[in-house]
Amino acid sequence: MADNNDWEPKIVAFCCNWCSYGGADTAGMGRFQQPASTRVIRVMCSGRIDPLHVYNAFLEGADAVLVTGCHLGDCHYVNGNEKTELKYQFLEEMVKQLGLEPERLYLNWISASEGERFANFINDVTAKVKEIGPSPLKPEGVS
Amino acid sequence: MTKQEAITNEEAEELRIGAFICECGVNIAGAVDCNAVADYISTLPNVTTAVVNKYTCSDAGQEEIKKAIKDLDLNRVLVASCTPKTHEPIFRACVEEAGLNPYLFEFVNIREHCSWIHMWEKEDATKKAKELVRMGVARAALLEPLQSSEVPVTNKALVIGAGVTGMQAAMDIGDMGFQVYLVEAGPSIGGKMAQLDKTFPTNDCSICILGPKMVEVNRNPNIEIMSYSEVEEVDGYVGNFDVKVKHKARYVDINLCSGCNSCVEKCPVEVPYWEFNEGIGTRKAVYVPFPQAVPLRALIDKSICIDCGACSKACERGAINMDQEDTFSELEVGVIVVCVGYDVYDPEPNHDFGFGLYDNVITTMEFERLINASGPTMGKVVRPSDVVQPKRIGFVQCVGSRDVNSNIYCSSFCCMASLKNAQLIKEKYPDTEVYIMYMDMRTPFRMYEEFYNRARDMDIHFIRGRPAEVTENEDKNIIARIEDTLTNKIENLELDMMVLSVGAVSPESTEKIRQILKVSRAADGFMMEAHPKLKPVDTTLDGIFIGGMTQGPKDIPYSISQGSACAARATRFLAQGKALTEGITIAVDEDICVGCGVCVPMCPFQALKMDDDGKLEIIKALCKGCGTCAVACPSGALQQSHYKNNQILAQVKEVFAYEEV
């Protein structure tokens, strides 16, 4: 595997339509530069993020997975993010069971106006993942 | 798989995806090699054509899409450009015009999520764009046609907040012939403008221009004012909102009260009048908000009332009712306009410029009440410590604005407010020395710069700089140590009174309604519009609009314009009488569902229920398409349309590749 400094991790970010996806947009509008590590997948609500999706992302080769949504109390669908928070405990356990480091899974609430927060998040996560290197689950030959 | 789906799949035609890569001028092309993206995408399975456009959203770009759909028989269209938050409806409409179901359109964001955040990393940005589009192609292949449904619109509006913005919105909607409920938390409509003395740049009396407007609102047969009331719950969606409003007990029957004040005269309890007079002067436990109040009715502050009964005895009409309780109304409306206004920045907690430490440091709002002819001092400007008319008055600008320690934004109206107040002092007491201590004077818009010039001609002293240190001497005078950065002179300026030109902040009290409505909050704390330029009064929620200070600091003309804008935007739905709801909902595969019911409590909208035979029933009209229940389903029988597991997982898979792109 390439030197960690050159190596760019692949991070899958699940974003909800109303808040965190908007936060990623606002980061762009504000030109907050980020490493090209992250691929955003849009869902309507963070409550739609299924452990199955996260599991598959790791199996396909994700070096980290981000679960993001609206701040608690701001969910467009009343309380979808509260359910996400509950599911996240399960996801943490799943990551452990998969033999992955806890630094490969993140939960963050980001509003549509928090572009800088989104960018900082991507920068921080990318740096952390670079430190621990590629996921041990990454299939051979995958980029 | 249901029979219907099986048939559809059997008949499924060959996939023909058309991909349109937008350069967005140089916005995308500056960082992403769009031709390289198109070349790569055209090699992917099911892609019939991959085209680069200068501006895909332009008329020419859209025509190209429509032509390609017809000429190449495309059955899926993908656009890789900006954000679906603004442009998805445009392209959905475009493909629909060419005869394609709008849900067979896939959007890929390569601007906000790529070119703009990797501006200097062209190679990385291009590679990422290729992958993002590859993900989109995989998803597009699995998209299914959906129908959005048309829902009837209740032709009534709710306007929350009856300051000048909300009043304007309510009047315009009312004048267009629709019924409006105007809900105001305070006991009178009018808002902050009712407290001001005069208004720039004309220096006409604020209440003299606002008062008639308040009366007009009251007279409008289509407007029902609900004062001293608050929105408690909002349910539903565009066209069909169910709203619960709480009418707080006034302990005065407003149908009997005439606002004559005889109860007020007899009430023995007196407290500082914070709500309207900023604590200058007093009010009784029973009080009429102000002389021009609408409705001109008394109310009782139960928290300080001693139940002596004097008001009851004084009231000839028997309007006092100490047993009154909060009441509630259930309203049905089609649209909601939010005009909940602002608070002035509070300098007390940080003791900005000695506020709260020294008696003679006051805020603009206190000054407005002091100089107001119908205010607590009848317009006589006196300083708090000794009630003597100050001979030297200084205004400090940008208090709570343009400051990393409080709010970084400019509150926009404070420069003009101080110029106005400085002029008023000069007109009233010409021998007063007046100073304005500023960072930059900001006076855009018609007649504002002229107004500034007029102030300069009136012997008002402008000091570019703000006090570095503020102290008080034994005469309770304020000593402001200040450098004039134009002359580099530092002086200890002695003032009899100093006025802090406080900016606007989003009120904590409006946070509740923001959360009830689920309107986004911007970084500055105010509510967030759908688009900073193109949709300044829309929110991302269909049928909900924000106007005036709710969206951020503004002066009066701008706020009124936004009130009218909200009315126009909102009335579109009322006039059409129908709205389209999103086609994205939940569907159950009855062959797989075992009727376990795990999903039912997941739905916050009660769209799922088990019928008498133990089968899952979906009430489509209530489903808002969040997809949370689908995650709970242990058998995979529940699937959210447009975000099915296979559609999401196809994207996940295509994040990764075995070959270099």
Side-chain angles (χ1 to χ4, degrees):
Chain A
M1 192 47 72
D3 184 271
N4 273 5
N5 289 326
D6 300 332
W7 171 69
E8 190 71 79
K10 270 276 173 72
I11 298 169
V12 176
F14 292 100
C15 291
C16 80
N17 180 59
W18 305 97
C19 296
S20 52
Y21 191 92
D25 280 355
T26 307
M29 275 184 248
R31 311 296 195 275
F32 292 111
Q33 300 301 296
Q34 303 159 36
S37 55
T38 306
R39 307 289 177 266
V40 168
I41 293 178
R42 180 167 71 132
V43 287
M44 294 308 284
C45 177
S46 67
R48 176 67 187 102
I49 304 167
D50 196 316
L52 181 76
H53 308 152
V54 179
Y55 178 69
N56 268 268
F58 280 124
L59 288 197
E60 298 287 356
D63 297 299
V65 175
L66 318 180
V67 175
T68 68
C70 306
H71 287 277
L72 295 174
D74 277 4
C75 177
H76 182 66
Y77 305 101
V78 184
N79 55 13
N81 51 1
E82 290 171 22
K83 290 157 193 160
T84 306
E85 202 175 33
L86 287 172
K87 265 176 282 184
Y88 189 75
Q89 296 172 15
F90 171 79
L91 288 174
E92 282 180 314
E93 185 57 34
M94 184 183 86
V95 162
K96 213 188 284 174
Q97 297 281 325
L98 286 170
L100 295 172
E101 302 88 333
E103 289 83 7
R104 299 200 187 274
L105 181 69
Y106 297 84
L107 175 70
N108 204 346
W109 308 135
I110 300 167
S111 82
S113 66
E114 291 174 328
E116 196 169 3
R117 180 184 167 99
F118 188 93
N120 290 341
F121 180 47
I122 300 303
N123 281 303
D124 291 350
V125 168
T126 307
K128 274 186 198 158
V129 175
K130 275 191 156 187
E131 246 170 58
I132 55 171
S135 163
L137 291 184
K138 196 190 277 289
E140 197 139 331
V142 159
S143 66
Chain B
M1 194 178 290
T2 61
K3 278 179 197 156
Q4 187 56 46
E5 276 179 34
I7 293 165
T8 320
N9 281 359
E10 257 171 45
E11 291 171 354
E13 46 198 337
E14 173 206 359
L15 283 167
R16 299 181 64 80
I17 302 174
F20 298 83
I21 319 295
C22 180
E23 292 186 328
C24 194
V26 292
N27 282 305
I28 294 170
V32 170
D33 181 346
C34 293
N35 289 312
V37 174
D39 287 348
Y40 171 66
I41 293 310
S42 60
T43 66
L44 297 179
N46 304 321
V47 176
T48 305
T49 179
V51 182
V52 176
N53 310 110
K54 193 93 184 150
Y55 294 99
T56 310
C57 65
S58 69
D59 207 25
Q62 292 193 48
E63 281 308 318
E64 197 171 340
I65 294 174
K66 286 188 229 172
K67 191 167 179 301
I69 291 173
K70 286 183 181 138
D71 293 354
L72 302 172
D73 205 17
L74 300 178
N75 51 23
R76 300 286 187 282
V77 167
L78 177 150
V79 170
S81 60
C82 50
T83 171
K85 303 279 279 182
T86 57
H87 279 56
E88 192 169 55
I90 296 165
F91 290 119
R92 277 189 181 168
C94 166
V95 301
E96 195 172 20
E97 278 176 36
L100 204 61
N101 182 286
Y103 291 90
L104 297 177
F105 166 76
E106 174 62 11
F107 210 124
V108 177
N109 186 339
I110 57 167
R111 193 179 73 176
E112 281 83 348
H113 292 193
C114 191
S115 66
W116 276 355
I117 58 172
H118 315 303
M119 290 172 81
W120 325 117
E121 316 290 338
K122 291 194 176 175
E123 209 172 297
D124 286 351
T126 303
K127 180 170 176 284
K128 178 172 165 180
K130 286 178 185 173
E131 295 182 358
L132 289 171
V133 181
R134 184 177 70 204
M135 291 160 65
V137 168
R139 181 176 149 80
L142 297 167
L143 290 177
E144 293 169 9
L146 298 173
Q147 298 303 326
S148 48
S149 46
E150 207 175 86
V151 292
V153 169
T154 307
N155 64 348
K156 292 174 184 171
L158 167 70
V159 177
I160 308 173
V164 71
T165 313
M167 284 164 50
Q168 186 66 43
M171 273 205 288
D172 287 352
I173 299 171
D175 287 346
M176 284 188 262
F178 300 99
Q179 203 194 329
V180 187
Y181 300 106
L182 179 58
V183 174
E184 165 58 42
S188 169
I189 64 169
K192 289 264 192 302
M193 188 176 165
Q195 289 178 270
L196 306 179
D197 178 39
K198 292 196 168 131
T199 49
F200 58 80
T202 45
N203 282 358
D204 39 10
C205 151
S206 187
I207 197 70
C208 311
I209 54 173
L210 184 73
K213 220 174 165 77
M214 291 161 66
V215 174
E216 216 181 306
V217 169
N218 200 22
R219 256 199 226 130
N220 192 311
N222 283 333
I223 299 177
E224 184 175 335
I225 297 174
M226 297 179 165
S227 63
Y228 214 42
S229 299
E230 283 173 26
V231 172
E232 290 273 294
E233 286 169 27
V234 175
D235 214 359
Y237 48 92
V238 57
N240 301 274
F241 292 108
D242 296 315
V243 183
K244 187 176 173 189
V245 179
K246 177 167 89 177
H247 310 291
K248 295 175 277 189
R250 292 176 85 111
Y251 307 102
V252 170
D253 187 332
I254 59 167
N255 296 316
L256 295 174
C257 174
S258 66
C260 72
N261 271 306
S262 39
C263 56
V264 179
E265 283 155 24
K266 292 286 185 273
C267 178
V269 183
E270 206 162 337
V271 292
Y273 194 2
W274 289 104
E275 297 90 338
F276 193 73
N277 279 339
E278 305 294 315
I280 306 165
T282 58
R283 66 161 168 81
K284 301 288 187 69
V286 60
Y287 65 105
V288 176
F290 51 94
Q292 302 85 353
V294 171
L296 189 67
R297 299 289 182 264
L299 71 157
I300 293 172
D301 178 353
K302 237 344 193 352
S303 68
I304 55 163
C305 171
I306 56 169
D307 266 327
C308 68
C311 52
S312 267
K313 275 179 223 148
C315 182
E316 290 172 2
R317 294 165 164 253
I320 308 286
N321 175 5
M322 298 307 276
D323 298 326
Q324 211 176 60
E325 286 178 358
D326 294 347
T327 56
F328 296 87
S329 299
E330 309 269 348
L331 311 177
E332 288 177 5
V333 298
V335 290
I336 299 175
V337 177
V338 189
C339 305
V340 288
Y342 72 108
D343 271 349
V344 289
Y345 169 78
D346 181 6
E348 173 103 43
N350 295 332
H351 297 306
D352 299 83
F353 303 100
F355 186 90
L357 300 175
Y358 311 133
D359 292 346
N360 294 323
V361 179
I362 66 169
T363 67
T364 325
M365 214 39 146
E366 289 172 280
F367 184 85
E368 292 286 348
R369 296 312 298 152
L370 275 177
I371 200 164
N372 194 310
S374 62
T377 58
M378 310 302 271
K380 187 163 190 275
V381 177
V382 291
R383 64 180 201 164
S385 67
D386 48 16
V387 205
V388 168
Q389 186 207 319
K391 293 286 179 200
R392 295 163 296 183
I393 301 179
F395 293 87
V396 184
Q397 296 307 111
C398 299
V399 180
S401 309
R402 304 180 67 205
D403 182 346
V404 289
N405 296 314
S406 54
N407 301 302
I408 56 168
Y409 53 82
C410 168
S411 289
S412 79
F413 57 80
C414 346
C415 282
M416 287 297 286
S418 285
L419 287 171
K420 182 256 301 181
N421 288 333
Q423 289 185 24
L424 295 183
I425 298 167
K426 278 297 204 185
E427 282 167 11
K428 208 162 196 167
Y429 312 107
D431 58 344
T432 311
E433 283 175 39
V434 181
Y435 301 87
I436 293 183
M437 296 164 262
Y438 69 100
M439 297 201 281
D440 303 283
M441 291 306 287
R442 296 185 166 180
T443 56
F445 307 125
R446 173 174 285 169
M447 298 304 289
Y448 286 17
E449 186 69 12
E450 291 87 332
F451 193 76
Y452 179 21
N453 289 337
R454 192 167 115 195
R456 282 197 283 214
D457 292 340
M458 287 173 83
D459 196 25
I460 291 163
H461 305 285
F462 289 84
I463 303 175
R464 200 185 78 177
R466 294 192 314 159
E469 186 184 41
V470 177
T471 50
E472 185 189 58
N473 68 13
E474 62 277 10
D475 300 322
K476 295 263 179 192
N477 291 344
I478 302 298
I479 314 293
R481 186 164 172 79
I482 185 167
E483 178 188 358
D484 187 332
T485 55
L486 292 177
T487 59
N488 285 352
K489 268 190 199 147
I490 298 172
E491 65 172 318
N492 288 324
L493 185 65
E494 186 169 347
L495 300 165
D496 299 320
M497 186 166 84
M498 194 160 85
V499 184
L500 306 186
S501 200
V502 284
V505 296
S506 183
E508 271 173 40
S509 57
T510 60
E511 185 59 14
K512 185 180 146 196
I513 187 67
R514 188 189 70 76
Q515 292 201 355
I516 289 172
L517 296 168
K518 308 293 177 199
V519 175
S520 296
R521 182 174 186 259
D524 56 18
F526 293 93
M527 293 192 208
M528 197 164 153
E529 67 279 27
H531 189 279
K533 289 176 282 289
L534 300 176
K535 291 185 173 177
V537 300
D538 290 29
T539 66
T540 52
L541 311 168
D542 274 351
I544 300 182
F545 305 88
I546 52 173
M549 289 267 202
T550 308
Q551 182 268 351
K554 283 168 196 67
D555 60 14
I556 293 168
Y558 190 176
S559 296
I560 291 177
S561 310
Q562 285 217 326
S564 286
C566 282
R569 297 291 292 166
T571 311
R572 290 173 310 142
F573 289 102
L574 305 183
Q576 287 178 13
K578 59 183 186 198
L580 285 178
T581 59
E582 188 57 76
I584 300 168
T585 52
I586 202 79
V588 63
D589 186 336
E590 290 178 1
D591 292 346
I592 301 177
C593 177
V594 295
C596 69
V598 166
C599 53
V600 174
M602 286 297 121
C603 179
F605 308 107
Q606 288 82 45
L608 301 174
K609 67 174 189 187
M610 303 307 294
D611 70 12
D612 295 339
D613 301 329
K615 277 174 71 179
L616 180 69
E617 190 186 333
I618 299 172
I619 305 146
K620 288 266 177 186
L622 294 178
C623 175
K624 294 194 181 162
C626 65
T628 305
C629 59
V631 182
C633 179
S635 63
L638 270 182
Q639 285 290 333
Q640 181 190 15
S641 56
H642 215 55
Y643 291 93
K644 290 186 158 185
N645 274 342
N646 65 341
Q647 295 165 341
I648 294 174
L649 292 177
Q651 272 180 293
V652 170
K653 188 174 168 50
E654 294 302 328
V655 170
F656 309 96
Y658 287 85
E659 286 162 28
E660 270 308 307
V661 296

